Amino acid sequence: MTENSARLPPGHPEAQPERTGVLLANLGTPDGYDYWSMRRYLNEFLSDRRVIDYAPWKWQPLLQAVILSRRPFTSGAAYKSIWNEAAGESPLLTITKAQAAKMKCALAGRYGDRVLVEFCMRYGNPSTGSRVRSLIEHGCRRILFFPLYPQYAGATTATANDQFFRSLMAEKWQPAVRTVSAYFDHPSFIDALARSVERAVAASNAAPDILVCSYHGMPERYLTEGDPYHCQCQKTTRLLKERLGWPDSRIVTTFQSRFGPEEWLKPYTVDKVADLARSGRKSVAVVAPAFAADCIETLEEINGEIRESFENAGGENFNYIPCLNDDDAHIAALAAIVEEHIEGWAG
């Protein structure tokens, strides 16, 4: 029984000691790669107006009748090729679990049990709402919500925040909340990214002719409508280049994962690596600075489709540099960002 509970009248629910919660959020994952698991996941993802902003009367019939009758098969096959069969989950879920566990350890030394760490997914499980509920049930009267996207985009950071605030609408007693903004230029993040590149280059049989920084894509229209994502990606590349001490000619920014008929941010990674090979660049390394954890877009798309594009165009050495995942330098960078944001909340 806690000290607070001892003062409560008989029959009153036990009072938890007040704590601060840290909720790490990533994009999401299907529960399995079978048709119905994939359909549920894709329906939730592709019905998000932050992701696909076409009018529902126009988009939903196409989504439900055409896209969701076919895409779960192809997406399921892609997930199957990378699935963590031993754990029965996607690599993104495995890695995010590890990130949260290491974050708990990193913060425990300073805050003890006064700060709790959980993780959630925007789409799929564990849901944002279930983890908000869990933190509140464990006495968190303050919650820091941390979308794990270094660069802000409406389709990533904003929709994660939307879901967090929707979850709070279901709570009778809402906690005080803060959100973590984009950290694309945070010195600790840039340093962790640069160190991962340096390690990969040192371990490679051949130094790359060029480093390709491949970011997830978005329609060009979003940029003209005010989304800062493109500019933040460019700055991340520039800061990484400066930290590595490399010339402009040895690093390039590209975008991947196109969807639909619109023009997306260019150059497209899959086309750029082929152009590099045809121009005589036989060795490339590819890093994905927009992803905090390896996922379908990195493990299957970059290390599959994009690798094939490079090799089919005459490229010889393709080196995919894994995301920062639960690397100690990455966790230290994220923990430093957390500590900056909970200043004044936890002693």
Side-chain angles (χ1 to χ4, degrees):
M1 179 179 294
T2 66
E3 181 181 350
N4 289 337
S5 298
R7 301 194 188 102
L8 297 174
H12 193 287
E14 182 177 352
Q16 293 279 352
E18 288 195 3
R19 296 186 173 98
T20 295
V22 175
L23 184 54
L24 307 176
N26 216 318
L27 180 74
T29 173
D31 294 324
Y33 49 77
D34 60 282
Y35 175 84
W36 289 109
S37 293
M38 290 304 312
R39 183 175 178 120
R40 283 193 300 272
Y41 173 73
L42 290 171
N43 184 49
E44 184 180 10
F45 176 47
L46 296 175
S47 293
D48 186 347
R49 294 294 304 280
R50 291 278 195 181
V51 175
I52 306 292
D53 64 355
Y54 302 145
W57 66 265
K58 181 187 298 184
W59 172 244
Q60 281 297 323
L62 176 63
L63 176 64
Q64 301 300 328
V66 179
I67 296 172
L68 291 181
S69 66
R70 302 172 183 173
R71 194 175 177 96
F73 292 108
T74 56
S75 294
Y79 269 97
K80 184 178 181 180
S81 71
I82 65 165
W83 201 254
N84 182 350
E85 296 287 359
E89 61 193 25
S90 72
L92 177 65
L93 182 54
T94 301
I95 293 165
T96 308
K97 282 181 180 178
Q99 290 173 328
K102 284 194 171 184
M103 180 68 78
K104 289 178 185 178
C105 294
L107 298 178
R110 176 172 177 181
Y111 303 108
D113 65 357
R114 300 189 305 279
V115 173
L116 300 184
V117 178
E118 287 278 14
F119 73 91
C120 67
M121 299 294 175
R122 169 59 183 90
Y123 314 104
N125 296 303
S127 69
T128 303
S130 68
R131 290 303 169 91
V132 167
R133 180 93 288 275
S134 176
L135 287 172
I136 292 175
E137 287 176 346
H138 285 85
C140 292
R141 300 307 316 146
R142 300 162 297 276
I143 296 178
L144 175 68
F145 185 67
F146 194 163
L148 294 175
Y149 306 109
Q151 301 81 18
Y152 174 96
T156 54
T157 310
T159 190
N161 287 337
D162 290 344
Q163 193 71 354
F164 174 58
F165 287 113
R166 275 193 290 267
S167 300
L168 292 174
M169 292 172 65
E171 296 301 326
K172 185 70 69 177
W173 185 6
Q174 291 181 333
V177 300
R178 295 173 181 169
T179 62
V180 176
S181 56
Y183 55 97
F184 64 97
D185 57 354
H186 195 283
S188 295
F189 166 69
I190 296 297
D191 185 63
L193 190 61
R195 288 162 65 180
S196 75
V197 172
E198 290 168 339
R199 286 196 303 270
V201 170
S204 176
N205 292 329
D209 297 320
I210 194 164
L211 175 68
V212 177
C213 293
S214 182
Y215 298 83
H216 65 75
M218 71 163 50
E220 288 182 351
R221 172 171 54 87
Y222 291 11
L223 171 61
T224 62
E225 290 172 351
D227 195 300
Y229 176 71
H230 179 266
C231 299
Q232 293 183 0
C233 292
Q234 297 287 353
K235 186 171 182 180
T236 297
T237 299
R238 176 175 64 80
L239 293 175
L240 174 60
K241 177 198 66 177
E242 292 172 356
R243 164 60 179 77
L244 291 170
W246 289 9
D248 292 347
S249 59
R250 204 179 170 198
I251 191 166
V252 64
T253 297
T254 63
F255 300 90
Q256 62 184 87
S257 307
R258 285 174 285 171
F259 180 82
E262 289 190 74
E263 290 295 316
W264 282 45
L265 296 176
K266 296 185 183 70
Y268 301 137
T269 306
V270 68
D271 296 334
K272 184 64 177 180
V273 295
D275 291 341
L276 289 170
R278 284 190 286 266
S279 68
R281 306 294 182 91
K282 299 302 183 182
S283 177
V284 301
V286 180
V287 67
F291 299 90
D294 275 306
C295 56
I296 194 74
E297 287 90 348
T298 62
L299 298 174
E300 196 276 336
E301 185 177 359
I302 293 180
N303 217 19
E305 176 189 355
I306 292 170
R307 174 189 289 274
E308 289 176 5
S309 177
F310 177 71
E311 292 175 346
N312 290 340
E316 297 174 359
N317 298 301
F318 183 97
N319 182 14
Y320 169 61
I321 300 173
C323 293
L324 294 177
N325 297 325
D326 64 339
D327 178 78
D328 288 345
H330 187 212
I331 300 303
L334 298 180
I337 294 168
V338 167
E339 291 183 8
E340 291 170 8
H341 281 77
I342 63 174
E343 185 70 31
W345 269 7

